[in-house]
């Protein structure tokens, strides 16, 4: 190519560095796009940030007994870790909310949705590292 070997070696090294830089940029941008997916999170992402409460058995205001269990979805993994440590506070909140309800409050989806919203709001008051996105009633047996 050129008569001077030093210039040839320098051009080959510059070409190799340019190709390596371009490949690095392309790979980085492709991986960054995959981690920032648009839209609703998939079920795998949701499962990574959910906490399932223990089964809770308590009395209702109407002298009935309820056995219930909830699944709480949080906004990040730090919030999940915090909620797992605050499990006794969450169970206390749930028992307090249930003790003010009657059996008739569980008739229909509006009563259940109202309970889920109340629990979500109360748990968000104690959270410091994140927020509760959803509360799902997993189990409900009234006797």
């Amino acid at each position: 190519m050129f008569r001077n070997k030093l210039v040839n070696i320098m051009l080959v090294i510059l070409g190799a560095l340019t190709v390596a830089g371009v490949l690095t940029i392309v790979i980085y941008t492709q991986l960054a796009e995959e981690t920032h997916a648009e839209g609703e999170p998939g079920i795998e992402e949701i499962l990574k940030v959910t906490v399932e409460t223990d089964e809770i058995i308590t009395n209702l205001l109407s002298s009935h007994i309820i056995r219930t269990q909830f699944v709480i979805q949080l906004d990040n993994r730090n919030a999940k870790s915090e909620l797992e440590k605050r499990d006794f506070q969450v169970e206390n909140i749930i028992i307090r909310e249930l003790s003010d309800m009657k059996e008739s409050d569980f008739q229909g989806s509006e009563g259940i949705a109202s309970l889920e919203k109340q629990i979500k709001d109360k748990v968000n008051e104690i959270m410091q590292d994140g927020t509760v996105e959803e509360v799902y009633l997993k189990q409900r047996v009234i006797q």
Side-chain angles (χ1 to χ4, degrees):
M1 192 154 114
F2 293 106
R3 291 181 184 229
N4 190 346
K5 286 185 176 183
L6 188 59
V7 173
N8 286 340
I9 292 172
M10 185 179 66
L11 287 176
V12 169
I13 291 173
L14 282 174
L17 288 173
T18 303
V19 169
V22 169
L23 284 174
T24 303
I25 290 172
V26 168
I27 291 171
Y28 177 76
T29 57
Q30 292 298 320
L31 291 177
E33 287 178 12
E34 289 177 14
T35 58
H36 299 293
E38 305 244 349
E40 293 293 318
I43 190 65
E44 295 297 325
E45 289 85 21
I46 291 173
L47 290 175
K48 290 178 184 175
V49 292
T50 59
V51 175
E52 191 172 303
T53 66
D54 294 333
E55 186 176 86
I56 298 171
I57 301 172
T58 189
N59 294 329
L60 295 174
L61 188 61
S62 60
S63 300
H64 288 85
I65 295 174
I66 186 168
R67 182 176 57 189
T68 186
Q69 190 172 15
F70 293 88
V71 176
I72 302 172
Q73 177 186 344
L74 300 132
D75 63 345
N76 62 56
R77 290 186 184 196
N78 291 337
K80 177 183 178 179
S81 176
E82 178 186 357
L83 191 73
E84 288 171 341
K85 293 174 186 172
R86 293 181 180 272
D87 65 335
F88 66 96
Q89 291 175 314
V90 172
E91 288 181 15
N92 181 264
I93 289 169
I94 293 171
I95 290 170
R96 285 184 180 190
E97 292 301 317
L98 291 172
S99 67
D100 288 337
M101 298 181 76
K102 299 177 185 172
E103 179 188 18
S104 60
D105 294 334
F106 290 96
Q107 305 300 323
S109 61
E110 290 179 10
I112 294 171
S114 173
L115 173 64
E116 291 171 345
K117 183 179 181 337
Q118 289 172 356
I119 292 172
K120 175 184 171 182
D121 294 342
K122 297 278 183 165
V123 173
N124 274 330
E125 290 176 9
I126 64 170
M127 293 295 292
Q128 295 175 351
D129 288 339
T131 59
V132 174
E133 289 188 349
E134 289 291 330
V135 174
Y136 301 100
L137 180 64
K138 182 177 177 182
Q139 175 182 311
R140 168 189 64 128
V141 177
I142 300 173
Q143 297 177 339

